[in-house]
Amino acid sequence: MVGLAVLALLFVLSVAFGTRSVSVSEVWSALGGDTGGIAEAAVIKRVPRTVLALLVGAALALSGTTMQAVTRNPLADPGILGVSSGAALAVVVGIAFFGMSDPYSYIWVAIGGAALAAAFVYTVGSLGRDGATPLKLALAGAAISATFSSLVSAVLLPRVDALTTFRFWQIGGVGGGSWEKIGLLVPFLVVGAAICFFSARGMNMLALGDDLAAGLGESVLRTRLVAAAGAVLLCGVATAVAGPIGFVGLVVPHLCRLLVGTDLRWLIPFSAITGAALLVAADVVGRVVARPQEIEVGIITAFIGAPFFIWIVRRQKVREL
């Protein structure tokens, strides 16, 4: 309930602050249907952007929580494991070489790129005697993410028109939020969130170790594949709509574990609320600190997440979940 209250407060702040600030009374007037004034019109224009930030934040947080549970890796995150970069590369290649323009095509291509990147990172991280350790997965993800990001730049640089269109998307942001994008996002978000939530019991079993989970009757491979499919779906659609936004899926699960524990039946819905709140808050900060310009939300989350990532790495006790 506290999380929902904080999210509601951030929603009001998001529609109130921007290039033109509006009062609380004007916010309520606009949400009540009055769009006659300039302030009320500004509020109505900000609502889809805020809703998009809320949905993308929830999707990335759910994806990160599920990835950490599936891999038992405290460093797992769609950005760190290269999944977001794989989705971004697939979209850019589709646009540059195949003339892709349909928004639905962006989503399906992004999901395919995210799935291929996730499989590739896990395969590379599993090589060697110890299998897919957290450190090897993080190193493989970082290397592949850097490679994919370089390929995105290589594809875009010779194409000035595409570079101009997608340079802000490449950073990650919700400034182009519209009801059309939200309509594209919601069905995939509902399916991905349902997959992750209904896999929560199985992922709780995986935390006991593969052998013990199998001994208790859990199908380890099936649980991993199904839950990973939900995480990839959420990451792919969020990246297609808002660009590669990093660190939300890393920070939120660790914060939520401190508050509600490790039971994924509680952790997954709470992570969705907290991830939505984090991205909305980052969007508000990006609009306020550089008025009248804006700082893209992907930059704000990087400022928050990079020190947090270093802190997790330096914690010697955290080796696996």
Side-chain angles (χ1 to χ4, degrees), residues 253-293:
H254 286 281
L255 176 62
C256 292
R257 284 190 195 95
L258 298 176
L259 299 173
V260 297
T262 58
D263 188 345
L264 285 151
R265 292 172 297 180
W266 286 95
L267 187 60
I268 284 176
F270 196 69
S271 294
I273 296 171
T274 308
L278 175 61
L279 204 65
V280 172
D283 187 40
V284 173
V285 171
R287 280 184 270 164
V288 170
V289 297
R291 283 184 181 176
Q293 303 298 319

PDB file of all heavy atoms in Angstrom, residues 253-293:
ATOM      1  N   PRO A 253      15.258  -5.144  -7.773  1.00  0.00           N
ATOM      2  CA  PRO A 253      15.127  -6.405  -7.026  1.00  0.00           C
ATOM      3  C   PRO A 253      15.906  -6.418  -5.712  1.00  0.00           C
ATOM      4  O   PRO A 253      15.408  -6.931  -4.700  1.00  0.00           O
ATOM      5  CB  PRO A 253      15.685  -7.450  -8.005  1.00  0.00           C
ATOM      6  CG  PRO A 253      15.517  -6.840  -9.348  1.00  0.00           C
ATOM      7  CD  PRO A 253      15.731  -5.378  -9.154  1.00  0.00           C
ATOM      8  N   HIS A 254      17.112  -5.846  -5.703  1.00  0.00           N
ATOM      9  CA  HIS A 254      17.893  -5.822  -4.462  1.00  0.00           C
ATOM     10  C   HIS A 254      17.221  -4.958  -3.407  1.00  0.00           C
ATOM     11  O   HIS A 254      17.174  -5.317  -2.229  1.00  0.00           O
ATOM     12  CB  HIS A 254      19.308  -5.309  -4.751  1.00  0.00           C
ATOM     13  CG  HIS A 254      20.171  -6.310  -5.457  1.00  0.00           C
ATOM     14  ND1 HIS A 254      20.781  -7.364  -4.815  1.00  0.00           N
ATOM     15  CD2 HIS A 254      20.511  -6.432  -6.762  1.00  0.00           C
ATOM     16  CE1 HIS A 254      21.468  -8.088  -5.678  1.00  0.00           C
ATOM     17  NE2 HIS A 254      21.327  -7.540  -6.872  1.00  0.00           N
ATOM     18  N   LEU A 255      16.699  -3.810  -3.820  1.00  0.00           N
ATOM     19  CA  LEU A 255      15.994  -2.943  -2.885  1.00  0.00           C
ATOM     20  C   LEU A 255      14.753  -3.636  -2.328  1.00  0.00           C
ATOM     21  O   LEU A 255      14.482  -3.577  -1.107  1.00  0.00           O
ATOM     22  CB  LEU A 255      15.602  -1.637  -3.595  1.00  0.00           C
ATOM     23  CG  LEU A 255      14.764  -0.642  -2.794  1.00  0.00           C
ATOM     24  CD1 LEU A 255      15.529  -0.164  -1.567  1.00  0.00           C
ATOM     25  CD2 LEU A 255      14.349   0.530  -3.656  1.00  0.00           C
ATOM     26  N   CYS A 256      14.019  -4.308  -3.188  1.00  0.00           N
ATOM     27  CA  CYS A 256      12.774  -4.950  -2.747  1.00  0.00           C
ATOM     28  C   CYS A 256      13.039  -6.136  -1.823  1.00  0.00           C
ATOM     29  O   CYS A 256      12.233  -6.423  -0.929  1.00  0.00           O
ATOM     30  CB  CYS A 256      11.959  -5.386  -3.955  1.00  0.00           C
ATOM     31  SG  CYS A 256      11.310  -4.008  -4.920  1.00  0.00           S
ATOM     32  N   ARG A 257      14.147  -6.847  -2.032  1.00  0.00           N
ATOM     33  CA  ARG A 257      14.462  -7.964  -1.135  1.00  0.00           C
ATOM     34  C   ARG A 257      14.687  -7.484   0.288  1.00  0.00           C
ATOM     35  O   ARG A 257      14.388  -8.196   1.252  1.00  0.00           O
ATOM     36  CB  ARG A 257      15.709  -8.709  -1.626  1.00  0.00           C
ATOM     37  CG  ARG A 257      15.464  -9.605  -2.813  1.00  0.00           C
ATOM     38  CD  ARG A 257      16.648 -10.500  -3.119  1.00  0.00           C
ATOM     39  NE  ARG A 257      16.497 -11.077  -4.444  1.00  0.00           N
ATOM     40  CZ  ARG A 257      17.033 -10.563  -5.543  1.00  0.00           C
ATOM     41  NH1 ARG A 257      17.779  -9.471  -5.472  1.00  0.00           N
ATOM     42  NH2 ARG A 257      16.830 -11.126  -6.703  1.00  0.00           N
ATOM     43  N   LEU A 258      15.238  -6.286   0.431  1.00  0.00           N
ATOM     44  CA  LEU A 258      15.439  -5.732   1.765  1.00  0.00           C
ATOM     45  C   LEU A 258      14.111  -5.428   2.452  1.00  0.00           C
ATOM     46  O   LEU A 258      14.030  -5.390   3.683  1.00  0.00           O
ATOM     47  CB  LEU A 258      16.280  -4.445   1.683  1.00  0.00           C
ATOM     48  CG  LEU A 258      17.695  -4.594   1.124  1.00  0.00           C
ATOM     49  CD1 LEU A 258      18.354  -3.221   1.013  1.00  0.00           C
ATOM     50  CD2 LEU A 258      18.527  -5.510   2.009  1.00  0.00           C
ATOM     51  N   LEU A 259      13.067  -5.189   1.663  1.00  0.00           N
ATOM     52  CA  LEU A 259      11.778  -4.763   2.211  1.00  0.00           C
ATOM     53  C   LEU A 259      10.787  -5.905   2.386  1.00  0.00           C
ATOM     54  O   LEU A 259      10.040  -5.927   3.370  1.00  0.00           O
ATOM     55  CB  LEU A 259      11.165  -3.686   1.298  1.00  0.00           C
ATOM     56  CG  LEU A 259      11.990  -2.403   1.133  1.00  0.00           C
ATOM     57  CD1 LEU A 259      11.368  -1.490   0.090  1.00  0.00           C
ATOM     58  CD2 LEU A 259      12.114  -1.664   2.467  1.00  0.00           C
ATOM     59  N   VAL A 260      10.754  -6.852   1.431  1.00  0.00           N
ATOM     60  CA  VAL A 260       9.729  -7.906   1.493  1.00  0.00           C
ATOM     61  C   VAL A 260      10.315  -9.311   1.508  1.00  0.00           C
ATOM     62  O   VAL A 260       9.548 -10.282   1.512  1.00  0.00           O
ATOM     63  CB  VAL A 260       8.738  -7.766   0.309  1.00  0.00           C
ATOM     64  CG1 VAL A 260       7.999  -6.455   0.381  1.00  0.00           C
ATOM     65  CG2 VAL A 260       9.435  -7.929  -1.026  1.00  0.00           C
ATOM     66  N   GLY A 261      11.637  -9.447   1.511  1.00  0.00           N
ATOM     67  CA  GLY A 261      12.231 -10.771   1.562  1.00  0.00           C
ATOM     68  C   GLY A 261      12.446 -11.378   0.186  1.00  0.00           C
ATOM     69  O   GLY A 261      12.339 -10.696  -0.837  1.00  0.00           O
ATOM     70  N   THR A 262      12.724 -12.677   0.163  1.00  0.00           N
ATOM     71  CA  THR A 262      13.144 -13.342  -1.069  1.00  0.00           C
ATOM     72  C   THR A 262      12.043 -14.166  -1.730  1.00  0.00           C
ATOM     73  O   THR A 262      12.274 -14.735  -2.794  1.00  0.00           O
ATOM     74  CB  THR A 262      14.347 -14.266  -0.785  1.00  0.00           C
ATOM     75  OG1 THR A 262      13.981 -15.230   0.215  1.00  0.00           O
ATOM     76  CG2 THR A 262      15.540 -13.468  -0.289  1.00  0.00           C
ATOM     77  N   ASP A 263      10.868 -14.277  -1.106  1.00  0.00           N
ATOM     78  CA  ASP A 263       9.769 -15.043  -1.699  1.00  0.00           C
ATOM     79  C   ASP A 263       9.293 -14.322  -2.951  1.00  0.00           C
ATOM     80  O   ASP A 263       8.759 -13.210  -2.884  1.00  0.00           O
ATOM     81  CB  ASP A 263       8.623 -15.181  -0.694  1.00  0.00           C
ATOM     82  CG  ASP A 263       7.537 -16.128  -1.189  1.00  0.00           C
ATOM     83  OD1 ASP A 263       7.522 -16.448  -2.398  1.00  0.00           O
ATOM     84  OD2 ASP A 263       6.694 -16.534  -0.370  1.00  0.00           O
ATOM     85  N   LEU A 264       9.469 -14.959  -4.103  1.00  0.00           N
ATOM     86  CA  LEU A 264       9.155 -14.306  -5.374  1.00  0.00           C
ATOM     87  C   LEU A 264       7.665 -14.071  -5.578  1.00  0.00           C
ATOM     88  O   LEU A 264       7.274 -13.241  -6.400  1.00  0.00           O
ATOM     89  CB  LEU A 264       9.722 -15.138  -6.531  1.00  0.00           C
ATOM     90  CG  LEU A 264      11.240 -14.994  -6.673  1.00  0.00           C
ATOM     91  CD1 LEU A 264      11.847 -16.246  -7.265  1.00  0.00           C
ATOM     92  CD2 LEU A 264      11.587 -13.791  -7.513  1.00  0.00           C
ATOM     93  N   ARG A 265       6.814 -14.751  -4.837  1.00  0.00           N
ATOM     94  CA  ARG A 265       5.383 -14.482  -4.940  1.00  0.00           C
ATOM     95  C   ARG A 265       5.048 -13.085  -4.415  1.00  0.00           C
ATOM     96  O   ARG A 265       4.047 -12.491  -4.839  1.00  0.00           O
ATOM     97  CB  ARG A 265       4.594 -15.549  -4.176  1.00  0.00           C
ATOM     98  CG  ARG A 265       4.681 -16.936  -4.812  1.00  0.00           C
ATOM     99  CD  ARG A 265       4.059 -17.988  -3.927  1.00  0.00           C
ATOM    100  NE  ARG A 265       4.779 -18.110  -2.665  1.00  0.00           N
ATOM    101  CZ  ARG A 265       4.440 -18.961  -1.701  1.00  0.00           C
ATOM    102  NH1 ARG A 265       3.390 -19.769  -1.858  1.00  0.00           N
ATOM    103  NH2 ARG A 265       5.135 -19.020  -0.581  1.00  0.00           N
ATOM    104  N   TRP A 266       5.851 -12.576  -3.492  1.00  0.00           N
ATOM    105  CA  TRP A 266       5.734 -11.189  -3.030  1.00  0.00           C
ATOM    106  C   TRP A 266       6.668 -10.271  -3.788  1.00  0.00           C
ATOM    107  O   TRP A 266       6.341  -9.122  -4.083  1.00  0.00           O
ATOM    108  CB  TRP A 266       6.052 -11.101  -1.531  1.00  0.00           C
ATOM    109  CG  TRP A 266       4.977 -11.623  -0.661  1.00  0.00           C
ATOM    110  CD1 TRP A 266       4.873 -12.871  -0.127  1.00  0.00           C
ATOM    111  CD2 TRP A 266       3.805 -10.908  -0.235  1.00  0.00           C
ATOM    112  NE1 TRP A 266       3.731 -12.978   0.619  1.00  0.00           N
ATOM    113  CE2 TRP A 266       3.060 -11.788   0.572  1.00  0.00           C
ATOM    114  CE3 TRP A 266       3.332  -9.626  -0.458  1.00  0.00           C
ATOM    115  CZ2 TRP A 266       1.850 -11.416   1.156  1.00  0.00           C
ATOM    116  CZ3 TRP A 266       2.133  -9.245   0.138  1.00  0.00           C
ATOM    117  CH2 TRP A 266       1.401 -10.137   0.923  1.00  0.00           C
ATOM    118  N   LEU A 267       7.863 -10.778  -4.079  1.00  0.00           N
ATOM    119  CA  LEU A 267       8.906  -9.938  -4.669  1.00  0.00           C
ATOM    120  C   LEU A 267       8.533  -9.464  -6.076  1.00  0.00           C
ATOM    121  O   LEU A 267       8.810  -8.310  -6.434  1.00  0.00           O
ATOM    122  CB  LEU A 267      10.221 -10.724  -4.712  1.00  0.00           C
ATOM    123  CG  LEU A 267      11.481  -9.965  -5.144  1.00  0.00           C
ATOM    124  CD1 LEU A 267      11.764  -8.813  -4.206  1.00  0.00           C
ATOM    125  CD2 LEU A 267      12.679 -10.919  -5.199  1.00  0.00           C
ATOM    126  N   ILE A 268       7.902 -10.307  -6.871  1.00  0.00           N
ATOM    127  CA  ILE A 268       7.588  -9.939  -8.260  1.00  0.00           C
ATOM    128  C   ILE A 268       6.588  -8.783  -8.333  1.00  0.00           C
ATOM    129  O   ILE A 268       6.858  -7.770  -8.993  1.00  0.00           O
ATOM    130  CB  ILE A 268       7.116 -11.177  -9.043  1.00  0.00           C
ATOM    131  CG1 ILE A 268       8.327 -12.061  -9.378  1.00  0.00           C
ATOM    132  CG2 ILE A 268       6.387 -10.785 -10.315  1.00  0.00           C
ATOM    133  CD1 ILE A 268       7.988 -13.357 -10.064  1.00  0.00           C
ATOM    134  N   PRO A 269       5.428  -8.844  -7.670  1.00  0.00           N
ATOM    135  CA  PRO A 269       4.517  -7.675  -7.763  1.00  0.00           C
ATOM    136  C   PRO A 269       5.101  -6.428  -7.110  1.00  0.00           C
ATOM    137  O   PRO A 269       4.887  -5.312  -7.613  1.00  0.00           O
ATOM    138  CB  PRO A 269       3.247  -8.157  -7.046  1.00  0.00           C
ATOM    139  CG  PRO A 269       3.662  -9.323  -6.228  1.00  0.00           C
ATOM    140  CD  PRO A 269       4.798  -9.958  -6.942  1.00  0.00           C
ATOM    141  N   PHE A 270       5.840  -6.587  -6.009  1.00  0.00           N
ATOM    142  CA  PHE A 270       6.419  -5.411  -5.361  1.00  0.00           C
ATOM    143  C   PHE A 270       7.505  -4.787  -6.232  1.00  0.00           C
ATOM    144  O   PHE A 270       7.655  -3.558  -6.260  1.00  0.00           O
ATOM    145  CB  PHE A 270       6.990  -5.798  -3.995  1.00  0.00           C
ATOM    146  CG  PHE A 270       7.263  -4.626  -3.109  1.00  0.00           C
ATOM    147  CD1 PHE A 270       6.229  -3.874  -2.578  1.00  0.00           C
ATOM    148  CD2 PHE A 270       8.562  -4.255  -2.821  1.00  0.00           C
ATOM    149  CE1 PHE A 270       6.482  -2.789  -1.770  1.00  0.00           C
ATOM    150  CE2 PHE A 270       8.824  -3.166  -2.007  1.00  0.00           C
ATOM    151  CZ  PHE A 270       7.775  -2.430  -1.473  1.00  0.00           C
ATOM    152  N   SER A 271       8.260  -5.619  -6.942  1.00  0.00           N
ATOM    153  CA  SER A 271       9.269  -5.089  -7.866  1.00  0.00           C
ATOM    154  C   SER A 271       8.622  -4.299  -8.991  1.00  0.00           C
ATOM    155  O   SER A 271       9.164  -3.275  -9.435  1.00  0.00           O
ATOM    156  CB  SER A 271      10.105  -6.240  -8.456  1.00  0.00           C
ATOM    157  OG  SER A 271      10.879  -6.869  -7.468  1.00  0.00           O
ATOM    158  N   ALA A 272       7.464  -4.758  -9.469  1.00  0.00           N
ATOM    159  CA  ALA A 272       6.769  -4.027 -10.531  1.00  0.00           C
ATOM    160  C   ALA A 272       6.384  -2.628 -10.059  1.00  0.00           C
ATOM    161  O   ALA A 272       6.575  -1.635 -10.775  1.00  0.00           O
ATOM    162  CB  ALA A 272       5.532  -4.804 -10.971  1.00  0.00           C
ATOM    163  N   ILE A 273       5.843  -2.527  -8.841  1.00  0.00           N
ATOM    164  CA  ILE A 273       5.453  -1.221  -8.300  1.00  0.00           C
ATOM    165  C   ILE A 273       6.675  -0.336  -8.110  1.00  0.00           C
ATOM    166  O   ILE A 273       6.684   0.847  -8.491  1.00  0.00           O
ATOM    167  CB  ILE A 273       4.709  -1.405  -6.965  1.00  0.00           C
ATOM    168  CG1 ILE A 273       3.398  -2.156  -7.188  1.00  0.00           C
ATOM    169  CG2 ILE A 273       4.444  -0.061  -6.301  1.00  0.00           C
ATOM    170  CD1 ILE A 273       2.700  -2.567  -5.903  1.00  0.00           C
ATOM    171  N   THR A 274       7.741  -0.894  -7.541  1.00  0.00           N
ATOM    172  CA  THR A 274       8.942  -0.105  -7.261  1.00  0.00           C
ATOM    173  C   THR A 274       9.647   0.307  -8.545  1.00  0.00           C
ATOM    174  O   THR A 274      10.144   1.432  -8.659  1.00  0.00           O
ATOM    175  CB  THR A 274       9.903  -0.915  -6.370  1.00  0.00           C
ATOM    176  OG1 THR A 274       9.198  -1.393  -5.227  1.00  0.00           O
ATOM    177  CG2 THR A 274      11.064  -0.051  -5.902  1.00  0.00           C
ATOM    178  N   GLY A 275       9.700  -0.591  -9.532  1.00  0.00           N
ATOM    179  CA  GLY A 275      10.315  -0.240 -10.813  1.00  0.00           C
ATOM    180  C   GLY A 275       9.567   0.874 -11.515  1.00  0.00           C
ATOM    181  O   GLY A 275      10.177   1.791 -12.081  1.00  0.00           O
ATOM    182  N   ALA A 276       8.231   0.812 -11.475  1.00  0.00           N
ATOM    183  CA  ALA A 276       7.428   1.881 -12.058  1.00  0.00           C
ATOM    184  C   ALA A 276       7.712   3.201 -11.358  1.00  0.00           C
ATOM    185  O   ALA A 276       7.894   4.246 -12.006  1.00  0.00           O
ATOM    186  CB  ALA A 276       5.949   1.527 -11.966  1.00  0.00           C
ATOM    187  N   ALA A 277       7.776   3.174 -10.028  1.00  0.00           N
ATOM    188  CA  ALA A 277       8.041   4.397  -9.268  1.00  0.00           C
ATOM    189  C   ALA A 277       9.429   4.950  -9.567  1.00  0.00           C
ATOM    190  O   ALA A 277       9.610   6.174  -9.714  1.00  0.00           O
ATOM    191  CB  ALA A 277       7.898   4.115  -7.768  1.00  0.00           C
ATOM    192  N   LEU A 278      10.420   4.070  -9.683  1.00  0.00           N
ATOM    193  CA  LEU A 278      11.788   4.521  -9.944  1.00  0.00           C
ATOM    194  C   LEU A 278      11.898   5.220 -11.291  1.00  0.00           C
ATOM    195  O   LEU A 278      12.508   6.296 -11.405  1.00  0.00           O
ATOM    196  CB  LEU A 278      12.745   3.329  -9.897  1.00  0.00           C
ATOM    197  CG  LEU A 278      14.210   3.622 -10.273  1.00  0.00           C
ATOM    198  CD1 LEU A 278      14.821   4.633  -9.307  1.00  0.00           C
ATOM    199  CD2 LEU A 278      15.041   2.352 -10.294  1.00  0.00           C
ATOM    200  N   LEU A 279      11.295   4.650 -12.331  1.00  0.00           N
ATOM    201  CA  LEU A 279      11.429   5.250 -13.656  1.00  0.00           C
ATOM    202  C   LEU A 279      10.633   6.556 -13.760  1.00  0.00           C
ATOM    203  O   LEU A 279      11.088   7.509 -14.407  1.00  0.00           O
ATOM    204  CB  LEU A 279      10.983   4.274 -14.741  1.00  0.00           C
ATOM    205  CG  LEU A 279      11.611   4.557 -16.116  1.00  0.00           C
ATOM    206  CD1 LEU A 279      13.121   4.355 -16.060  1.00  0.00           C
ATOM    207  CD2 LEU A 279      11.009   3.670 -17.191  1.00  0.00           C
ATOM    208  N   VAL A 280       9.464   6.619 -13.133  1.00  0.00           N
ATOM    209  CA  VAL A 280       8.706   7.873 -13.123  1.00  0.00           C
ATOM    210  C   VAL A 280       9.498   8.950 -12.383  1.00  0.00           C
ATOM    211  O   VAL A 280       9.583  10.096 -12.833  1.00  0.00           O
ATOM    212  CB  VAL A 280       7.321   7.665 -12.486  1.00  0.00           C
ATOM    213  CG1 VAL A 280       6.611   9.011 -12.295  1.00  0.00           C
ATOM    214  CG2 VAL A 280       6.462   6.757 -13.355  1.00  0.00           C
ATOM    215  N   ALA A 281      10.098   8.580 -11.237  1.00  0.00           N
ATOM    216  CA  ALA A 281      10.904   9.548 -10.484  1.00  0.00           C
ATOM    217  C   ALA A 281      12.104  10.013 -11.297  1.00  0.00           C
ATOM    218  O   ALA A 281      12.442  11.207 -11.310  1.00  0.00           O
ATOM    219  CB  ALA A 281      11.368   8.923  -9.166  1.00  0.00           C
ATOM    220  N   ALA A 282      12.775   9.084 -12.004  1.00  0.00           N
ATOM    221  CA  ALA A 282      13.926   9.457 -12.827  1.00  0.00           C
ATOM    222  C   ALA A 282      13.507  10.393 -13.951  1.00  0.00           C
ATOM    223  O   ALA A 282      14.236  11.342 -14.297  1.00  0.00           O
ATOM    224  CB  ALA A 282      14.581   8.199 -13.394  1.00  0.00           C
ATOM    225  N   ASP A 283      12.327  10.163 -14.516  1.00  0.00           N
ATOM    226  CA  ASP A 283      11.832  11.040 -15.578  1.00  0.00           C
ATOM    227  C   ASP A 283      11.545  12.444 -15.045  1.00  0.00           C
ATOM    228  O   ASP A 283      11.846  13.437 -15.705  1.00  0.00           O
ATOM    229  CB  ASP A 283      10.574  10.430 -16.200  1.00  0.00           C
ATOM    230  CG  ASP A 283      10.095  11.200 -17.428  1.00  0.00           C
ATOM    231  OD1 ASP A 283      10.951  11.635 -18.220  1.00  0.00           O
ATOM    232  OD2 ASP A 283       8.882  11.375 -17.586  1.00  0.00           O
ATOM    233  N   VAL A 284      10.969  12.522 -13.847  1.00  0.00           N
ATOM    234  CA  VAL A 284      10.709  13.829 -13.234  1.00  0.00           C
ATOM    235  C   VAL A 284      12.013  14.569 -12.978  1.00  0.00           C
ATOM    236  O   VAL A 284      12.144  15.762 -13.279  1.00  0.00           O
ATOM    237  CB  VAL A 284       9.912  13.658 -11.925  1.00  0.00           C
ATOM    238  CG1 VAL A 284       9.797  15.002 -11.193  1.00  0.00           C
ATOM    239  CG2 VAL A 284       8.527  13.099 -12.203  1.00  0.00           C
ATOM    240  N   VAL A 285      13.013  13.876 -12.437  1.00  0.00           N
ATOM    241  CA  VAL A 285      14.314  14.501 -12.166  1.00  0.00           C
ATOM    242  C   VAL A 285      14.946  15.000 -13.454  1.00  0.00           C
ATOM    243  O   VAL A 285      15.486  16.109 -13.518  1.00  0.00           O
ATOM    244  CB  VAL A 285      15.251  13.497 -11.447  1.00  0.00           C
ATOM    245  CG1 VAL A 285      16.678  14.049 -11.368  1.00  0.00           C
ATOM    246  CG2 VAL A 285      14.735  13.192 -10.058  1.00  0.00           C
ATOM    247  N   GLY A 286      14.869  14.196 -14.514  1.00  0.00           N
ATOM    248  CA  GLY A 286      15.453  14.597 -15.788  1.00  0.00           C
ATOM    249  C   GLY A 286      14.814  15.840 -16.370  1.00  0.00           C
ATOM    250  O   GLY A 286      15.462  16.617 -17.080  1.00  0.00           O
ATOM    251  N   ARG A 287      13.535  16.062 -16.079  1.00  0.00           N
ATOM    252  CA  ARG A 287      12.847  17.254 -16.585  1.00  0.00           C
ATOM    253  C   ARG A 287      13.116  18.485 -15.732  1.00  0.00           C
ATOM    254  O   ARG A 287      13.010  19.601 -16.214  1.00  0.00           O
ATOM    255  CB  ARG A 287      11.342  16.999 -16.651  1.00  0.00           C
ATOM    256  CG  ARG A 287      10.917  16.205 -17.863  1.00  0.00           C
ATOM    257  CD  ARG A 287       9.404  16.078 -17.885  1.00  0.00           C
ATOM    258  NE  ARG A 287       8.960  14.897 -17.163  1.00  0.00           N
ATOM    259  CZ  ARG A 287       7.707  14.703 -16.762  1.00  0.00           C
ATOM    260  NH1 ARG A 287       6.802  15.624 -16.969  1.00  0.00           N
ATOM    261  NH2 ARG A 287       7.375  13.601 -16.147  1.00  0.00           N
ATOM    262  N   VAL A 288      13.434  18.277 -14.457  1.00  0.00           N
ATOM    263  CA  VAL A 288      13.558  19.404 -13.525  1.00  0.00           C
ATOM    264  C   VAL A 288      14.975  19.966 -13.478  1.00  0.00           C
ATOM    265  O   VAL A 288      15.171  21.192 -13.426  1.00  0.00           O
ATOM    266  CB  VAL A 288      13.115  18.966 -12.108  1.00  0.00           C
ATOM    267  CG1 VAL A 288      13.462  20.035 -11.071  1.00  0.00           C
ATOM    268  CG2 VAL A 288      11.618  18.686 -12.087  1.00  0.00           C
ATOM    269  N   VAL A 289      16.003  19.103 -13.511  1.00  0.00           N
ATOM    270  CA  VAL A 289      17.366  19.561 -13.229  1.00  0.00           C
ATOM    271  C   VAL A 289      17.985  20.355 -14.369  1.00  0.00           C
ATOM    272  O   VAL A 289      18.983  21.057 -14.161  1.00  0.00           O
ATOM    273  CB  VAL A 289      18.289  18.364 -12.886  1.00  0.00           C
ATOM    274  CG1 VAL A 289      17.824  17.667 -11.638  1.00  0.00           C
ATOM    275  CG2 VAL A 289      18.360  17.376 -14.054  1.00  0.00           C
ATOM    276  N   ALA A 290      17.441  20.268 -15.572  1.00  0.00           N
ATOM    277  CA  ALA A 290      18.066  20.953 -16.711  1.00  0.00           C
ATOM    278  C   ALA A 290      17.078  21.832 -17.463  1.00  0.00           C
ATOM    279  O   ALA A 290      17.183  21.997 -18.664  1.00  0.00           O
ATOM    280  CB  ALA A 290      18.688  19.930 -17.655  1.00  0.00           C
ATOM    281  N   ARG A 291      16.116  22.398 -16.773  1.00  0.00           N
ATOM    282  CA  ARG A 291      15.135  23.257 -17.437  1.00  0.00           C
ATOM    283  C   ARG A 291      15.803  24.380 -18.212  1.00  0.00           C
ATOM    284  O   ARG A 291      16.789  24.938 -17.736  1.00  0.00           O
ATOM    285  CB  ARG A 291      14.196  23.870 -16.388  1.00  0.00           C
ATOM    286  CG  ARG A 291      13.127  22.932 -15.857  1.00  0.00           C
ATOM    287  CD  ARG A 291      12.234  23.718 -14.917  1.00  0.00           C
ATOM    288  NE  ARG A 291      11.198  22.889 -14.332  1.00  0.00           N
ATOM    289  CZ  ARG A 291      10.340  23.334 -13.423  1.00  0.00           C
ATOM    290  NH1 ARG A 291      10.403  24.582 -13.014  1.00  0.00           N
ATOM    291  NH2 ARG A 291       9.428  22.528 -12.940  1.00  0.00           N
ATOM    292  N   PRO A 292      15.271  24.730 -19.386  1.00  0.00           N
ATOM    293  CA  PRO A 292      14.090  24.177 -20.064  1.00  0.00           C
ATOM    294  C   PRO A 292      14.377  22.930 -20.888  1.00  0.00           C
ATOM    295  O   PRO A 292      13.498  22.427 -21.564  1.00  0.00           O
ATOM    296  CB  PRO A 292      13.644  25.338 -20.946  1.00  0.00           C
ATOM    297  CG  PRO A 292      14.918  26.006 -21.322  1.00  0.00           C
ATOM    298  CD  PRO A 292      15.799  25.903 -20.108  1.00  0.00           C
ATOM    299  N   GLN A 293      15.635  22.435 -20.857  1.00  0.00           N
ATOM    300  CA  GLN A 293      15.969  21.212 -21.574  1.00  0.00           C
ATOM    301  C   GLN A 293      15.617  20.003 -20.705  1.00  0.00           C
ATOM    302  O   GLN A 293      15.209  20.139 -19.555  1.00  0.00           O
ATOM    303  CB  GLN A 293      17.459  21.204 -21.930  1.00  0.00           C
ATOM    304  CG  GLN A 293      17.906  22.403 -22.740  1.00  0.00           C
ATOM    305  CD  GLN A 293      17.206  22.499 -24.081  1.00  0.00           C
ATOM    306  OE1 GLN A 293      17.016  21.479 -24.747  1.00  0.00           O
ATOM    307  NE2 GLN A 293      16.832  23.702 -24.473  1.00  0.00           N
TER     308      GLN A 293
END
